[in-house]
Amino acid sequence: MTAVQSVERPTMECETQHFLMAQRQLDEIAQEMGLDPELHERLRYPKRSLIVTIPVRMDNGTVRSFTGYRVQHDVTLGPAKGGIRFHPEVNLGEVAALAMLMTWKCSLMGLPYGGAKGGIRCEPWNLSLGEQERLTRRYTSEIINLIGPDKDIPAPDMYTNEQTMAWIMDTYSINVGHTVPSVVTGKPVSIGGSFGRTEATGRGVAYCARRAVSHIGLKKESPTVVVQGFGNVGSITARLLHDTGYKIIAVSDVHSGLHNPKGIDIPRLQAYVSEMGKVKGFPHADEITNAELLGLECDVLVPAALGDQINDRTVNKLKCKIVVEGANGPTSPDADMKLHEGGILVVPDILANAGGVTVSYFEWVQGLMHLFWSEEEVNNRLEQIMGRACDQVFEMTVKTGLRPRMSALRIGVGRLAEAKRLLGLYP
Ligand code: GLU
């Protein structure tokens, strides 16, 4: 049995640099684990990709067209699952690459989902709330045939939040004629969301940071932490680590960074940011640039902002012992290799930030059961699943000598490949 030779095929529309990078990562692990070439071939491309044009009436009365995407990479293990992002850099290749990552993430965590991602190319910070609502509702209506509680379940991602999910739920429900809370996760608790979902990604990142610290045998009472990004993931991670006695010596947002070697008072900074909208001007720390922040000496570095932050240009500056990837794809493949060779432990995105989709899964389950759990129950279950996944990845790393990212991929890809092998190829 031989697989179709990829080289003989015309280029696919999604094959941007970003997508090819995700695909190369799969190719690398497929070779490493001796994956059946037919199964490998079937995992290399997204299953479904939809591009839509979204006309929106702007506040000034004009109509503007936006481009939106929804890509389902795989649906073997269950409905597709993944966030929706609003960002000017969104394109088909990026969404397809992130959908592929979601497949590996869900499989690694043992969730009964395939991977998806969606997005709208826009500058959300230049849109009023009303424009964002009309954009979200029309996008939902354009992708309505793809989504549904048994088909594909969106969630928040960059620059979307629980309000965005409420609009999607409402638009979907109106179109089908009855309320369907389980069409999205990450919605407000008052309309069927789960306790603990908003904090879940940061909670998982903080949990992984603590596990990584004990994995490398660091015996310090207050390990030092640098967090890049102070949005949902970065701020919650910083807060939870601060509360467990870690010293957060630097943080940043899109505008600027803060540094205080004695430790930043995170609860106070959170209060400042909720009032001012940015970290700049916080009185109890020095201002630094993002580039300086990445090069600070620390125990744990948490990139929780954009993708491609640790790359050829920045990797040599890093002076941390551990990187815990709060963002999706913050480290380029070459930089990942360099960090590993330099003895820096990288907890990869598909493990480190999987707390979000794990509690999304809990939200979906609770919604389908119409039975809701306490925050304590949600957090306990999250720790159980994160702990198991961390153990499996660290064990695989020790056993095989693979980088943690490759170990995580090997587990995720391996499980899915086994399912595909058992189900066979139709017809
Ligand atoms: N957008 C998040 C992620 O990248 C969450 C996805 C979800 O909850 O479905 O993992």
Side-chain angles (χ1 to χ4, degrees), residues 81-84 102 105 117 153-158 185 197 201 328 353-354 356-358 360-361:
K81 187 85 191 80
I84 290 175
M102 284 307 300
K105 193 186 296 186
K117 202 76 166 197
I153 307 136
D157 200 87
M158 266 163 61
T185 59
R197 175 60 185 88
T201 310
N328 283 314
N353 71 29
V357 71
T358 302
S360 272
Y361 164 62

Side-chain angles (χ1 to χ4, degrees), residues 17 25 77 110 162 169 183-184 204 297:
Q17 282 308 319
Q25 219 171 48
L77 295 168
E162 56 176 37
M169 171 182 152
V183 66
V184 285
E297 193 165 334

Side-chain angles (χ1 to χ4, degrees), residues 4-113:
V4 181
Q5 290 297 305
S6 314
V7 282
E8 290 169 8
R9 200 177 18 216
T11 315
M12 292 214 183
E13 287 80 355
C14 65
E15 287 178 341
T16 60
Q17 282 308 319
H18 195 153
F19 179 78
L20 291 173
M21 215 153 81
Q23 200 180 46
R24 263 202 305 276
Q25 219 171 48
L26 168 67
D27 295 347
E28 197 185 319
I29 199 61
Q31 191 180 8
E32 168 67 37
M33 65 198 275
L35 184 64
D36 176 338
E38 287 194 7
L39 293 171
H40 177 199
E41 174 66 15
R42 292 175 59 197
L43 292 171
R44 295 184 82 228
Y45 300 97
K47 178 171 191 64
R48 293 187 190 108
S49 308
L50 179 63
I51 306 180
V52 295
T53 300
I54 312 155
V56 177
R57 170 115 23 227
M58 306 303 282
D59 288 349
N60 65 8
T62 61
V63 172
R64 202 177 135 192
S65 297
F66 294 85
T67 309
Y69 306 86
R70 185 73 183 169
V71 174
Q72 298 171 353
H73 170 254
D74 184 80
V75 290
T76 306
L77 295 168
K81 187 85 191 80
I84 290 175
R85 57 172 56 186
F86 289 179
H87 200 266
E89 271 152 41
V90 166
N91 60 59
L92 183 64
E94 183 196 65
V95 175
L98 292 166
M100 189 187 262
L101 267 190
M102 284 307 300
T103 300
W104 313 142
K105 193 186 296 186
C106 292
S107 175
L108 171 67
M109 302 310 286
L111 309 178
Y113 290 136

Side-chain angles (χ1 to χ4, degrees), residues 110-223:
L111 309 178
Y113 290 136
K117 202 76 166 197
I120 301 177
R121 193 181 313 135
C122 64
E123 291 172 351
W125 44 87
N126 288 336
L127 299 175
S128 71
L129 203 62
E131 289 167 340
Q132 287 190 33
E133 175 171 357
R134 294 191 289 279
L135 179 66
T136 304
R137 287 187 182 277
R138 185 61 191 256
Y139 167 73
T140 306
S141 144
E142 297 296 340
I143 65 161
I144 206 153
N145 291 325
L146 276 194
I147 60 173
D150 304 318
K151 293 174 19 183
D152 180 353
I153 307 136
D157 200 87
M158 266 163 61
Y159 291 99
T160 55
N161 55 28
E162 56 176 37
Q163 176 62 77
T164 325
M165 296 307 116
W167 290 329
I168 296 177
M169 171 182 152
D170 189 59
T171 307
Y172 184 87
S173 299
I174 286 170
N175 274 274
V176 297
H178 57 101
T179 300
V180 188
S182 299
V183 66
V184 285
T185 59
K187 55 194 171 285
V189 170
S190 54
I191 52 169
S194 175
F195 287 118
R197 175 60 185 88
T198 311
E199 303 80 23
T201 310
R203 186 172 289 279
V205 175
Y207 183 81
C208 285
R210 294 199 303 271
R211 291 294 291 251
V213 162
S214 68
H215 182 72
I216 65 163
L218 190 75
K219 301 236 167 11
K220 245 189 189 176
E221 219 164 84
S222 292

